[in-house]
Amino acid sequence: MPELPEVETTRMGLLPHVRGQRISRVIVRDKRLRWPIPDDFSAQLEGATVNDIFRRGKYLLWECVKKESLRKQRPHGFVLSHLGMSGTLCVLPASTPATRHDHVDIVLSNRLLIRFNDPRRFGAMLWIPAQGTPHPSHPLLDTLGPEPLSDAFTAANLFKLSRGKSSRGRTVSVKEFIMNGHVVVGVGNIYASESLFRAGIHPIRAAGKVSLTRYQKLANAIRETLSDAIRAGGTSLRDYVKTDGEQGYFQLDAAVYGREGKACRTCQTPIRLIVQGARSTYFCPHCQH
DNA sequence: AAGGTAACCTGACTGC
DNA sequence: TGCAGTCAGGTTACCT
């Protein structure tokens, strides 16, 4: 399910229940996720306190401290979590019985637990020991592109990347280009279609043939699409305890995604569905060029 | 460097 | 009702 807005909504939902709480116990029922949960995962976490949760792309980083790490004035380490295609993290009373696909419980001192459920097991739950640096370094994080909602994400940067090394520019479609996490993080299959519609750009167009002016529109469209979705998801946070974290998603009012054959909200032309890189793309053949 | 493809999984839905 | 086939919101690894 989760693209950047869903991950951010999850982060904001977890934070008030988790911040400052001590982890009393960690239960790993199935370590077979995208990568195996490390054997020392529980041992590293138990007795630690969660200071904060940060988001980088679709990853969440849980900053954990322990007494001995505080003496060295640095965190003990970070939980690196990813929801994959079907993962959820939810807040539950610690006594809640586990059901199918409940792979990990993080039990807190406030009698709540954070439960990771993931039917397809494409998600991840890893441990990054603190290094000397303030921010954690990890192969999965180090090569990521800029955050779309930060100043580091600019049209000039998109344009430059799209031209690549060869003189004709990159031939990959602009839709697949913006879904590449090394170009910009957090734009998944739904928001890629939605952003291109908002920018009036045809999804098949080669990334290397999109002008700087149109990348300006696209960068703005991505920012607006993601911010709107976060705002919509945020409205469901009040009831985050006991929820599955999916409420925000269902509030999404898509302009094109999932609307094949339905009238474009701008021009009434039927929305079209094509396949790019084995993923569905929805667009309006009249509004997007 | 950049492009194409396979791989990791389960569940829901469609059509016969 | 059952079974085969298809699709699903992500990402890395590997081979040209």
Side-chain angles (χ1 to χ4, degrees), chain A residues 40-274:
Chain A
D40 65 345
F41 187 75
S42 304
Q44 294 290 357
L45 285 185
E46 283 171 3
T49 298
V50 184
N51 250 1
D52 209 343
I53 305 179
F54 307 102
R55 182 186 56 73
R56 179 75 175 94
K58 296 170 192 166
Y59 292 97
L60 290 181
L61 287 151
W62 314 39
E63 186 187 270
C64 299
V65 298
K66 276 187 175 174
K67 267 184 194 157
E68 50 272 31
S69 77
L70 280 179
R71 248 182 275 122
K72 298 179 199 161
Q73 296 203 314
R74 57 149 123 161
H76 174 54
F78 297 82
V79 173
L80 178 64
S81 65
H82 195 291
L83 299 176
M85 292 276 258
S86 55
T88 55
L89 283 165
C90 56
V91 183
L92 298 164
S95 57
T96 312
T99 58
R100 208 159 148 70
H101 308 306
D102 286 341
H103 305 313
V104 182
D105 286 353
I106 296 176
V107 187
L108 304 170
S109 47
N110 57 3
R111 299 190 170 195
L112 296 175
L113 65 77
I114 311 305
R115 177 162 285 168
F116 179 67
N117 178 288
D118 185 8
R120 290 175 75 178
R121 290 191 275 115
F122 285 179
M125 215 26 112
L126 298 170
W127 173 252
I128 308 178
Q131 298 122 347
T133 52
H135 296 292
S137 168
H138 190 278
L140 292 170
L141 302 174
D142 296 344
T143 59
L144 290 179
E147 284 293 324
L149 301 179
S150 79
D151 293 342
F153 177 59
T154 64
N157 180 247
L158 268 186
F159 180 78
K160 192 178 168 192
L161 266 179
S162 73
R163 265 48 189 176
K165 300 280 175 188
S166 91
S167 56
R168 280 179 291 282
R170 290 174 68 164
T171 58
V172 68
S173 73
V174 62
K175 194 257 191 169
E176 291 169 280
F177 182 65
I178 58 170
M179 285 182 68
N180 180 344
H182 302 295
V183 172
V184 56
V185 296
V187 182
N189 202 40
I190 293 181
Y191 296 113
S193 282
E194 293 297 309
S195 300
L196 286 166
F197 173 78
R198 218 184 259 232
I201 298 172
H202 199 292
I204 291 178
R205 182 174 285 272
K209 294 197 169 170
V210 175
S211 69
L212 176 58
T213 309
R214 307 192 83 205
Y215 271 123
Q216 192 68 66
K217 281 192 169 180
L218 183 53
N220 287 335
I222 289 171
R223 275 190 281 266
E224 287 164 13
T225 305
L226 296 178
S227 314
D228 287 354
I230 290 172
R231 216 169 300 130
T235 60
S236 66
L237 286 182
R238 196 177 303 274
D239 305 317
Y240 199 79
V241 175
K242 274 192 174 181
T243 71
D244 58 7
E246 289 185 45
Q247 295 184 11
Y249 175 74
F250 288 112
Q251 293 179 6
L252 175 70
D253 188 21
V256 290
Y257 190 87
R259 299 193 64 241
E260 184 194 9
K262 299 201 169 115
C264 169
R265 302 220 162 103
T266 305
C267 74
Q268 313 308 312
T269 303
I271 298 302
R272 285 194 48 200
L273 165 63
I274 57 174

